[in-house]
Amino acid sequence: VHGVLEGENATVFAYGATGSGKTFTMIGTTEQPGVMVLMMRELVSLLQNIENAQLEVSFLEVYCEMIKDLLSPAEHTTPLDVREDPKLGVIVHDLTWLPVASVDDIMNRLYAGNLKRTTRSTNSNETSSRSHAVFRVRLQRMYRNGPQCSILSMIDLAGSERLKKSEVHGLGAKEATRINQSLLALGNCITKLASDKPSHVPYRDSKLTRLLQDSLQGHCRTVMIANISPAHNQLEETLNTLKYANRAKNIKTLVRSTSMPHDVKLPVL
C-alpha cells in the first residue's frame, strides 16, 4: 500500500484448489474482513492527509475466457476486449471505472460486483467461484511536472478442480475445464519467468495471463497467497499448490514508480 502511494503498481492474488478459502482470504466477511478490505482501509487512511489525490475502482471477472464488467450499470453486458496500449500497457477496453472517496464507497462497489460473480454449487464447494475476479484501484496524484498514476490489483482466482471430485456436468464441467486451462496457462508463464534460461512467455494463451502480464513481468510489486486445505482428500491439490508457489517465488520483477505520459488522459467520469 505504501508503494502505491509512491507511484508503484502492486498486485495481490490468491491461488489454490476449489474450497481452500481464496474468496474468504481476499474478501472475507463483515466480522472477518479479508485482504482486500484491510488494504482499502489502510490506503484510504493514508490518503487522509494527501491533497490532489483521486481514487477510482474497476471490477471484472474472467468467465470461460470472456471478460465481464461487474460494475457496469447495464443488466446485460457484452464481453470486453483486452488490448495492448503502447503507453498504458495491457488494458481492458470500455471497462467501467468509478470514482470513490471513502472505504464505504470502495466496499459498496466491491460487494455489489461480487454479487454478480458467477458461482455454482459443486461437490467440493457449495458456492464455488466459476470465474477469476480482478478488482483494481487506480490512484492518480497531481504534481507540478504532471500526473502520477499507480494501480493496485487484487485478484481472486477460481480454484482448480477435478471433475471426478466436484461431480459437475454439462455447463459446470465446461466451466471447470476453462478454469483449469487458464490456471495451466498461468503456471506455464510462471515456469518460463522463473527459469534461468530466457524464452518466450505465452501470455496470450489465456485472458487471465494477458491481464496479469504487467504484474508478472513488469515493474510491479506482486504477492501470491497460496491457499491450502487441511483435508486429507485434498493432499494432491495441496502439494500442487505448494509447487506452484515455489516456482512463483523465483520470479523477479523490477519495481519502479510510474508516471502518466503527458499526452495521455484518463477517461473523464
Side-chain angles (χ1 to χ4, degrees):
V1 173
H2 290 270
V4 173
L5 294 178
E6 299 301 322
E8 298 173 359
N9 291 333
T11 298
V12 180
F13 67 93
Y15 175 84
T18 184
S20 60
K22 297 180 301 300
T23 301
F24 179 77
T25 298
M26 295 301 291
I27 299 178
T29 63
T30 304
E31 295 77 20
Q32 296 177 289
V35 172
M36 289 183 178
V37 182
L38 297 176
M39 293 179 71
M40 292 304 96
R41 287 178 181 174
E42 182 175 1
L43 178 61
V44 173
S45 175
L46 293 172
L47 286 174
Q48 294 297 321
N49 300 321
I50 296 178
E51 297 181 355
N52 299 323
Q54 298 178 349
L55 278 178
E56 298 168 323
V57 297
S58 69
F59 201 6
L60 62 84
E61 73 170 357
V62 182
Y63 172 74
C64 288
E65 285 302 292
M66 296 182 294
I67 297 178
K68 297 185 177 182
D69 189 343
L70 296 178
L71 294 184
S72 172
E75 290 188 14
H76 303 287
T77 59
T78 56
L80 304 180
D81 294 326
V82 179
R83 299 183 182 179
E84 185 107 24
D85 187 281
K87 295 174 181 176
L88 297 178
V90 177
I91 62 171
V92 179
H93 185 61
D94 286 339
L95 180 65
T96 301
W97 286 88
L98 299 177
V100 290
S102 66
V103 175
D104 287 342
D105 281 350
I106 297 173
M107 291 303 100
N108 287 339
R109 304 298 189 194
L110 175 61
Y111 291 135
N114 200 52
L115 290 175
K116 294 182 179 180
R117 284 190 68 184
T118 307
T119 60
R120 184 181 301 278
S121 177
T122 71
N123 194 45
S124 302
N125 187 358
E126 186 176 347
T127 55
S128 174
S129 300
R130 312 309 286 172
S131 65
H132 308 296
V134 181
F135 185 76
R136 281 179 167 153
V137 179
R138 183 166 63 191
L139 170 63
Q140 183 179 359
R141 298 177 63 182
M142 300 300 299
Y143 294 95
R144 289 183 178 179
N145 60 346
Q148 183 183 68
C149 181
S150 54
I151 295 179
L152 173 60
S153 302
M154 292 159 285
I155 303 165
D156 177 22
L157 297 177
S160 58
E161 64 180 65
R162 298 193 169 202
L163 296 181
K164 289 183 178 180
K165 285 188 177 181
S166 59
E167 296 184 358
V168 290
H169 306 280
L171 181 58
K174 177 184 177 182
E175 293 169 346
T177 300
R178 290 285 188 160
I179 290 170
N180 291 337
Q181 287 174 344
S182 62
L183 292 175
L184 177 61
L186 177 58
N188 290 337
C189 289
I190 288 175
T191 299
K192 293 285 187 180
L193 289 167
S195 174
D196 293 331
K197 299 179 181 179
S199 59
H200 170 69
V201 182
Y203 291 113
R204 294 181 180 272
D205 283 359
S206 77
K207 294 289 178 63
L208 174 65
T209 48
R210 287 285 283 139
L211 291 173
L212 287 176
Q213 181 173 341
D214 289 338
S215 297
L216 294 174
Q217 74 159 13
H219 305 283
C220 181
R221 193 183 301 276
T222 302
V223 176
M224 171 184 170
I225 300 174
N227 286 78
I228 57 177
S229 169
H232 70 278
N233 63 348
Q234 293 286 317
L235 176 61
E236 190 170 351
E237 286 80 358
T238 295
L239 182 59
N240 288 335
T241 298
L242 294 176
K243 288 180 178 178
Y244 208 98
N246 187 58
R247 290 197 302 270
K249 73 181 178 64
N250 293 322
I251 298 175
K252 294 180 175 62
T253 57
L254 180 62
V255 181
R256 71 179 183 187
S257 295
T258 59
S259 60
M260 289 288 291
H262 293 295
D263 57 344
V264 173
K265 295 183 180 180
L266 294 176
V268 177
L269 301 175

